[in-house]
Amino acid sequence: MLLSLIVFLPLVGVALLLPMRPENKSLLRVTTLVVMLADCLLSIYLLLAFNQSASGYQFEENIPWLGSLGLRYHLGVDGLSVLLLFLTTLLSWIAILSTWRAVQLRVKEYMIAFLLLELGMLGVFVALDLFLFYVFWEIVLVPMYVIIGVWGGPRKIYATIKFFLFTFIGSLLMLVAILALYFEHAGLANGVRTLDVTQLGNVHYPLAFQIPVFLAFFAAFAVKVPLWPLHTWLPDAHVEAPTAGSVILAGILLKLGGYGFLRFSVPLLPEATHYFGPLMLTLATIAVVYGALVSLVQKDWKKLVAYSSVSHMGFVILGIFVLNPQGLEGAILEMFNHGLLTGALFLCVGIVYERVHDRELAHLGGIARYMPVYAAFFMVFMLGSVGLPGLAGFVGEFLVLLGTFGVSSLAGWISMTAIILAAGYLLWMYARVMFVKLNTEHYAAELVDLRAHEVAYLLPLLALVIWVGVYPDTWLNFLHPAVSHIIAQASAAGGLAAR
């Protein structure tokens, strides 16, 4: 029952918050933080108890749910999902701690929204029944919509509507794909009705069926990644979201799309995966370069980091669809690293914005003079995002490029240019904000160095960024059996040989 406890502990937090008075903001914050920290500790225990050498799913919970329809309450984790589960619980309490001073309006509703958001994200990563997965997927949509729409910036209504339309339409198409798999499996398996992932992959679906189902899944997962050209909702959502919303959006929600491709599209639809492989590699390569190029010309600090996510998540899709061990392990590690690094970058942007209420790069400068500790933290996260060896960002991108060159030298060489561009826009941004002379003198009085709670939530991210960069085997060892299983499923229909 460990997985159920991890997934539904946030719901206990909601039950604790409901009877509390809205004016008691400190108690609301402390209760939420304690619940999320407890969930993080449970996920760390799960990591320690996880058998890295075993294949298949672990800590499974599999009981009948809607028996007449063949639907089950089936939870389980492998190396892929256990890392993302830990990342979710880590960034959730960090996001709440980052709002300690910033959010004063409707604190009770804000905390409840974040607890429900965490519940949905955790459920997505452990659900092994497609209907259950869809329920958790939809749960995620509502609280994030509310967080941006209520606590967002001046254009929050536009951003929330755009976010909702993109993700909701994709979700509806995914529901169509799920229903199609349900009925097709029953037809191919002598009337056995199920949406259990472990059973859906035991039959071979005709290519003519796989192609439209793959496209329907693509509509949901590619929007969530987001993959070019379905990325346009992301910068608006990031710019208007509160800092904690941006941290969760970049750190976790974008991973839902990559996870969906890895868990469902590739193993269940292997022939369609190979059929659309060249197209996916092309779109991913464009996303890698496009995101970096657009980041170069951004004037808004937050929008620059948002567009960099398009580039980094392009590497994830590239690694997934080269369909070799280096690419897949690099893609999964890149998802983990991106959550740490981009989440940290948004936190750093939020720290300055909370003090000066300005994100225009032209209005900022000289921050290192007033906030030297902050500048040191930010430098490490920035260099990690650039891909400096010894920090987290390097290992994932290196493995993805290694896998890409094994399939397409052209895609590999083009994607490498994004690393050069990333160095350009991130180093320029750091130099501009930290060292250029301050343009507006009254900002100086507001630029107080890191407070105790800010150090408390940045330190774990700093430690992990260095740990993954210096000794990545700690994390890669979780991935070997899961990646081998995904490749075995993807090649089951002879797709790799055909390729």
Side-chain angles (χ1 to χ4, degrees):
M1 298 300 290
L2 178 59
L3 292 183
S4 289
L5 180 59
I6 291 173
V7 171
F8 291 104
L9 188 59
L11 201 58
V12 176
V14 172
L16 293 173
L17 294 185
L18 284 174
M20 293 184 185
R21 295 173 61 85
E23 307 85 56
N24 201 343
K25 296 179 182 180
S26 295
L27 183 60
L28 290 165
R29 292 189 180 104
V30 170
T31 302
T32 305
L33 183 62
V34 168
V35 169
M36 288 185 167
L37 279 170
D39 224 10
C40 187
L41 291 174
L42 287 173
S43 71
I44 292 172
Y45 171 77
L46 187 70
L47 276 177
L48 296 174
F50 187 85
N51 185 352
Q52 297 181 0
S53 61
S55 59
Y57 297 103
Q58 301 180 40
F59 303 95
E60 284 190 78
E61 301 171 24
N62 192 355
I63 57 176
W65 181 20
L66 299 173
S68 60
L69 298 175
L71 305 179
R72 305 183 67 84
Y73 178 80
H74 190 184
L75 308 181
V77 291
D78 60 2
L80 162 62
S81 47
V82 76
L83 285 187
L84 295 175
L85 203 71
F86 166 64
L87 181 66
T88 302
T89 58
L90 174 71
L91 289 183
S92 293
W93 73 259
I94 285 175
I96 288 300
L97 191 56
S98 73
T99 66
W100 214 252
R101 293 165 58 98
V103 174
Q104 299 295 330
L105 172 69
R106 296 173 132 177
V107 173
K108 180 176 179 177
E109 292 87 344
Y110 187 81
M111 298 300 166
I112 289 174
F114 264 93
L115 285 165
L116 292 175
L117 180 62
E118 184 184 22
L119 183 155
M121 294 185 297
L122 292 171
V124 164
F125 292 133
V126 300
L128 295 180
D129 182 279
L130 262 172
F131 181 75
L132 187 62
F133 170 84
Y134 184 78
V135 170
F136 285 122
W137 182 279
E138 290 298 281
I139 288 175
V140 169
L141 176 61
V142 178
M144 181 52 74
Y145 177 88
V146 172
I147 288 167
I148 300 174
V150 176
W151 294 276
R155 299 176 71 241
K156 58 189 178 185
I157 302 301
Y158 169 77
T160 50
I161 291 174
K162 196 171 183 179
F163 165 76
F164 182 83
L165 288 176
F166 269 79
T167 53
F168 184 66
I169 292 171
S171 297
L172 286 178
L173 291 172
M174 180 171 69
L175 180 60
V176 173
I178 291 171
L179 291 173
L181 280 169
Y182 180 76
F183 291 112
E184 185 71 11
H185 181 272
L188 295 173
N190 300 318
V192 176
R193 295 184 294 179
T194 184
L195 282 173
D196 193 303
V197 174
T198 60
Q199 296 183 45
L200 288 173
N202 292 335
V203 300
H204 176 257
Y205 305 100
L207 179 60
F209 171 79
Q210 290 189 32
I211 287 175
V213 173
F214 182 94
L215 290 174
F217 275 133
F218 172 87
F221 300 148
V223 164
K224 260 304 195 285
V225 167
L227 182 63
W228 181 92
L230 302 174
H231 68 284
T232 57
W233 63 269
L234 181 68
D236 294 306
H238 267 311
V239 169
E240 301 307 321
T243 297
S246 291
V247 171
I248 297 300
L249 189 59
I252 308 299
L253 258 64
L254 305 191
K255 313 305 175 292
L256 269 57
Y259 178 82
F261 279 122
L262 285 162
R263 179 66 74 226
F264 306 115
S265 298
V266 173
L268 298 182
L269 310 166
E271 291 183 8
T273 297
H274 292 285
Y275 181 83
F276 286 110
L279 174 62
M280 296 300 295
L281 292 180
T282 301
L283 293 176
T285 304
I286 293 172
V288 165
V289 178
Y290 170 84
L293 285 172
V294 178
S295 296
L296 278 170
V297 298
Q298 293 308 308
K299 299 177 180 179
D300 184 294
W301 196 357
K302 205 173 184 184
K303 191 171 281 191
L304 184 151
V305 179
Y307 272 109
S308 74
S309 291
V310 176
S311 182
H312 287 119
M313 292 306 294
F315 273 108
V316 171
I317 301 301
L318 198 62
I320 292 172
F321 284 91
V322 297
L323 291 174
N324 56 39
Q326 297 89 352
L328 282 166
E329 290 186 8
I332 298 168
L333 193 63
E334 179 69 7
M335 286 198 288
F336 185 72
N337 294 340
H338 179 265
L340 298 175
L341 289 164
T342 305
L345 289 177
F346 275 117
L347 287 168
C348 289
V349 174
I351 286 169
V352 172
Y353 183 75
E354 181 188 333
R355 287 156 169 75
V356 303
H357 302 290
D358 197 341
R359 293 192 307 262
E360 283 289 321
L361 291 169
H363 298 167
L364 301 170
I367 291 176
R369 175 183 173 187
Y370 304 97
M371 303 174 67
V373 177
Y374 167 84
F377 272 95
F378 192 26
M379 180 183 69
V380 175
F381 298 135
M382 178 273 298
L383 291 175
S385 194
V386 168
L388 183 73
L391 297 175
F394 171 76
V395 186
E397 290 182 0
F398 176 78
L399 287 173
V400 168
L401 287 172
L402 196 64
T404 302
F405 274 107
V407 173
S408 170
S409 296
L410 179 62
W413 284 112
I414 294 174
S415 298
M416 280 187 67
T417 63
I419 299 176
I420 301 170
L421 293 171
Y425 64 76
L426 286 169
L427 289 170
W428 171 84
M429 176 265 292
Y430 187 82
R432 177 70 185 80
V433 170
M434 295 300 162
F435 301 120
V436 172
K437 184 179 178 182
L438 194 67
N439 292 331
T440 310
E441 290 302 326
H442 71 268
Y443 280 169
E446 307 297 329
L447 293 174
V448 181
D449 212 345
L450 293 180
R451 301 180 176 99
H453 76 284
E454 293 167 340
V455 174
Y457 63 69
L458 289 178
L459 267 179
L461 296 176
L462 181 72
L464 285 168
V465 164
I466 295 172
W467 186 351
V468 176
V470 173
Y471 196 69
D473 266 4
T474 305
W475 312 95
L476 288 172
N477 287 337
F478 284 98
L479 304 180
H480 300 322
V483 165
S484 297
H485 184 60
I486 292 170
I487 290 177
Q489 289 178 297
S491 59
L496 285 177
R499 194 170 180 181

